[in-house]
Amino acid sequence: MQSFAEELEQLRAQGLYRSMRVIQGAMGSRVELDGRPVLLLCSNNYLGLADHPELKRAAVQGAELGTGSGASRLVSGTMELHQRLEARLARFKGTERALLFNSGYAANTGIISALVGRGDAIFSDRLNHASIVDGALLSRANLHRYPHLDFDALEKLLQEKGGKGRRLIVTDGVFSMDGDIAPLDRLVGLARRYDALLMVDDAHGCGVLGATGRGCAELFGVQKGIDIQMGTLGKGFGSFGAYAAASGEICEYLVNTSRSFIFSTSLPPAVLAASLAAVDLVDSPEGARLRERLSSNTALFKKRLADAGFDTMGSETQIVPVFVGPAETTMEFSRALLERGIFVQGIRPPTVPAGSCRLRCTVMATHEAADLVEAADTIASVGRQLGVI
Ligand SMILES: *Cc1c(COP(=O)(O)O)cnc(C)c1O
């Protein structure tokens, strides 16, 4: 039997070894890493809410009610704050109801494995997040993965597969490693035509996209056509946790059948209070200003990279991949940037397909324009040294 140490050595040899970097002190658009200040260019804290004074104040107040909820929701772990946050999220999303989950990962595995099972069919974009794939595997339904955004291929699968069971089409709203957006209007049409449920994972869109930050569904004006809108509270909202926004019927079904909902201690009050403050903030004029700032920061950064000759892989959002290719070069790129005060992660298999390694840059509303220009120029200078451009 091969030892774990040997397997780790193999990962190292393939340039696929992973390790964690530690941030000292506070979260922000600049952080201290290994005792040095760096520009943070790989956080999903897109609106900069993770260290916003109002969220911190709310969390402290929430903690006055206790540090833990003490039980799962169906035992004694449902506090008024859970109900208030769910009602606020439902109002924000314009759905009958919303149900909290402890994380986006727990939401996807718990929702998908509850809604479909043996004999049912799941149709999933090839670039969907790992938690969707894991939910699909856990469900034991037949998993049909279609090429990225290839809706002709999806339609063919819908015609040929599925049989009499339930059908679920599931997609990322914003693809987490590419930053492109699924055209939800077309998916809504296909779901209707083939009598399938449609679930959208809006981890990177909620709070950020759409005229009022309600996410991808708002961007396409299809809030009513999506059966389950899953969103996370740990990214754009700067807090922690996740939700399913759906009909009362679906939420009630999930309460009764979703194992990650039933068998896990519920979110603690400090987190719930911070999330409530976050939704209020996202839904306020300050939220609108932050979204405008995020959008102009993104445009500035992306243009500067494109002008330098980089391939940003069709990104339409604040997630800006810089295509590199091989794993080794990508990691060297990221190391060189860190030496120059820019913290950005290289993304390798199995997160992305082999040969499509990239730097995954993420823009924040709280970045200074001058910092982004400087960062893009530094990326260009290292990119030239490494022969990427
Ligand atoms: C981050 C992410 C998740 C998981 O959410 P967490 O709250 O971090 O567990 C799910 N789906 C997508 C697309 C993500 O990017």
Side-chain angles (χ1 to χ4, degrees):
M1 194 166 67
Q2 200 181 27
S3 76
F4 296 121
E6 278 168 346
E7 287 200 34
L8 283 171
E9 223 19 76
Q10 281 173 5
L11 286 177
R12 235 187 246 285
Q14 294 165 324
L16 297 180
Y17 194 82
R18 294 167 182 243
S19 57
M20 291 174 267
R21 297 224 165 254
V22 181
I23 289 174
Q24 287 108 25
M27 195 43 74
S29 56
R30 290 183 160 278
V31 294
E32 200 178 312
L33 199 73
D34 304 328
R36 276 194 326 136
V38 296
L39 183 73
L40 182 57
L41 209 55
C42 54
S43 173
N44 302 320
N45 174 24
Y46 302 123
L47 298 177
L49 297 187
D51 65 333
H52 194 287
E54 273 179 44
L55 269 73
K56 289 195 279 192
R57 204 175 308 127
V60 169
Q61 271 176 16
E64 292 293 337
L65 299 175
T67 51
S69 71
S72 67
R73 292 288 300 276
L74 287 164
V75 178
S76 61
T78 297
M79 302 173 77
E80 266 183 346
L81 278 173
H82 292 93
Q83 284 190 311
R84 276 178 51 203
L85 179 55
E86 285 176 341
R88 182 68 182 94
L89 285 166
R91 184 152 68 81
F92 179 69
K93 295 294 296 180
T95 52
E96 265 176 33
R97 192 170 162 187
L99 192 68
L100 286 169
F101 284 83
N102 288 354
S103 70
Y105 188 91
N108 279 339
T109 51
I111 294 167
I112 295 171
S113 61
L115 294 183
V116 290
R118 238 185 258 285
D120 296 335
I122 299 173
F123 303 87
S124 170
D125 190 292
R126 249 188 202 290
L127 294 191
N128 276 348
H129 192 259
S131 55
I132 293 179
V133 179
D134 291 359
L137 295 176
L138 202 55
S139 76
R140 298 187 179 86
N142 297 314
L143 173 59
H144 306 288
R145 299 176 77 189
Y146 55 90
H148 183 47
L149 297 182
D150 184 344
F151 295 149
D152 293 333
L154 169 60
E155 180 155 20
K156 206 150 170 278
L157 282 171
L158 285 164
Q159 285 163 354
E160 290 169 1
K161 314 280 182 189
K164 286 192 284 290
R166 253 186 218 140
R167 301 142 165 264
L168 174 69
I169 302 174
V170 57
T171 185
D172 279 12
V174 175
F175 289 86
S176 56
M177 298 299 137
D178 293 63
D180 55 344
I181 302 173
L184 296 182
D185 44 347
R186 292 192 56 196
L187 282 170
V188 167
L190 282 172
R192 286 218 181 101
R193 198 163 325 135
Y194 293 95
D195 193 26
L197 289 164
L198 177 59
M199 171 170 170
V200 176
D201 173 343
D202 209 13
H204 300 278
C206 57
V208 170
L209 294 183
T212 61
R214 276 144 176 82
C216 286
E218 183 182 26
L219 198 64
F220 290 97
V222 293
Q223 288 100 319
K224 298 287 170 233
I226 302 168
D227 299 287
I228 306 104
Q229 296 184 60
M230 175 278 198
T232 62
L233 296 163
K235 292 175 179 168
F237 285 99
S239 178
F240 186 69
Y243 61 85
S247 67
E249 181 188 354
I250 284 182
C251 288
E252 197 56 22
Y253 185 76
L254 291 173
V255 166
N256 281 275
T257 57
S258 177
R259 294 170 69 85
S260 68
F261 179 87
I262 298 172
F263 296 109
S264 192
T265 301
S266 65
L267 292 169
V271 166
L272 298 166
S275 295
L276 265 168
V279 181
D280 284 345
L281 214 142
V282 158
D283 208 9
S284 74
E286 184 179 348
R289 277 196 298 278
L290 287 169
R291 277 189 294 281
E292 263 169 43
R293 185 71 193 276
L294 179 62
S295 157
S296 61
N297 273 353
T298 300
L300 173 77
F301 182 65
K302 216 180 273 181
K303 178 163 190 317
R304 196 102 183 162
L305 288 174
D307 286 349
F310 284 111
D311 171 8
T312 54
M313 306 182 75
S315 159
E316 302 167 80
T317 60
Q318 71 282 356
I319 299 170
V320 185
V322 170
F323 183 86
V324 181
E328 276 299 355
T329 320
T330 309
M331 298 327 279
E332 202 180 327
F333 206 147
S334 139
R335 271 193 302 273
L337 287 173
L338 192 56
E339 275 168 23
R340 290 161 177 78
I342 297 170
F343 184 19
V344 54
Q345 292 283 1
I347 309 289
R348 298 160 289 173
T351 311
V352 294
S356 75
C357 300
R358 66 203 68 174
L359 298 173
R360 178 181 180 269
C361 306
T362 47
V363 179
M364 294 169 63
T366 45
H367 280 141
E368 297 295 332
D371 286 342
L372 289 171
V373 168
E374 199 186 315
D377 292 350
T378 307
I379 293 171
S381 128
V382 175
R384 277 189 294 271
Q385 277 169 30
L386 292 175
V388 175
I389 46 170

